[in-house]
Amino acid sequence: MCDIRYFKMALSLYKTAVREYQAGQADEYTMNTVAYSLQQVVELVLKCHLEFVGVTVPSTHDISKLVRMCKNSGACITITEWIDDNTEKLTAWEAQTRYNMDFFVERDKAAKALKMIKEFLDINYMRNILRLNHRKINYSLFCQKIFNLNQMI
């Protein structure tokens, strides 16, 4: 079953990325930290949705693979166009930002990712809850957990 801690961790990482970005330091290392955090946000949300529909979550950071798995498993998640178009970039941010000393994420790319991942979070935490009554799968417990989590924000 879905472990709500994935969502809590994803939201915490998103808030951390926003704080780091807004701190005013535009150096490459700060932007790499922002990018890594954002990759983790997307990864955790995808894995949580997979767990909820009973898919064994692989030990992977490959966003493309996780997106495909979500699409093929019937997971109740909306993959935004930006996420779908940037899976390879997000996957690269997981390792490259930590292990490649010559890899740097530009501030404008981090800003765009912050905006688009916020959209991804909003769609999947709010709009899906409103649409779930029209789904055949019973997501009521899941919706209640997400509703309670949103109340904490």
Side-chain angles (χ1 to χ4, degrees):
M1 285 311 251
C2 177
D3 190 335
I4 199 70
R5 292 175 295 180
Y6 278 140
F7 282 124
K8 289 180 180 179
M9 189 182 303
L11 289 172
S12 177
L13 284 168
Y14 183 78
K15 290 176 184 178
T16 297
V18 169
R19 277 193 307 274
E20 286 290 321
Y21 182 84
Q22 292 174 341
Q25 294 183 16
D27 65 80
E28 295 93 353
Y29 303 106
T30 300
M31 291 304 106
N32 279 5
T33 300
V34 169
Y36 173 75
S37 296
L38 292 172
Q39 184 281 337
Q40 290 290 287
V41 168
V42 174
E43 180 181 328
L44 289 167
V45 170
L46 294 171
K47 285 181 174 181
C48 188
H49 281 278
L50 287 168
E51 264 198 9
F52 186 77
V53 294
V55 174
T56 301
V57 178
S59 179
T60 184
H61 303 290
D62 186 338
I63 301 298
S64 298
K65 180 177 183 175
L66 294 170
V67 165
R68 275 192 313 277
M69 289 176 72
C70 282
K71 288 178 177 179
N72 294 333
S73 69
C76 182
I77 185 169
T78 301
I79 306 298
T80 61
E81 183 178 348
W82 189 88
I83 296 291
D84 215 15
D85 291 346
N86 289 278
T87 57
E88 290 178 20
K89 175 171 44 178
L90 288 167
T91 298
W93 285 0
E94 190 279 328
Q96 295 294 330
T97 56
R98 296 186 302 155
Y99 304 119
N100 182 347
M101 292 299 165
D102 296 322
F103 184 88
F104 299 110
V105 175
E106 297 169 13
R107 187 171 175 82
D108 62 328
K109 289 182 181 174
K112 177 74 171 181
L114 278 165
K115 177 182 175 189
M116 300 314 291
I117 291 172
K118 172 74 165 89
E119 178 182 300
F120 173 69
L121 292 173
D122 287 347
I123 287 169
N124 286 294
Y125 290 153
M126 295 176 207
R127 291 186 191 161
N128 276 354
I129 291 171
L130 298 174
R131 293 191 313 216
L132 290 176
N133 291 334
H134 303 291
R135 302 231 182 230
K136 293 180 182 175
I137 300 170
N138 182 356
Y139 283 97
S140 60
L141 180 59
F142 177 72
C143 292
Q144 186 61 45
K145 287 181 179 181
I146 297 301
F147 177 77
N148 291 338
L149 182 60
N150 283 330
Q151 296 303 309
M152 295 171 25
I153 299 174

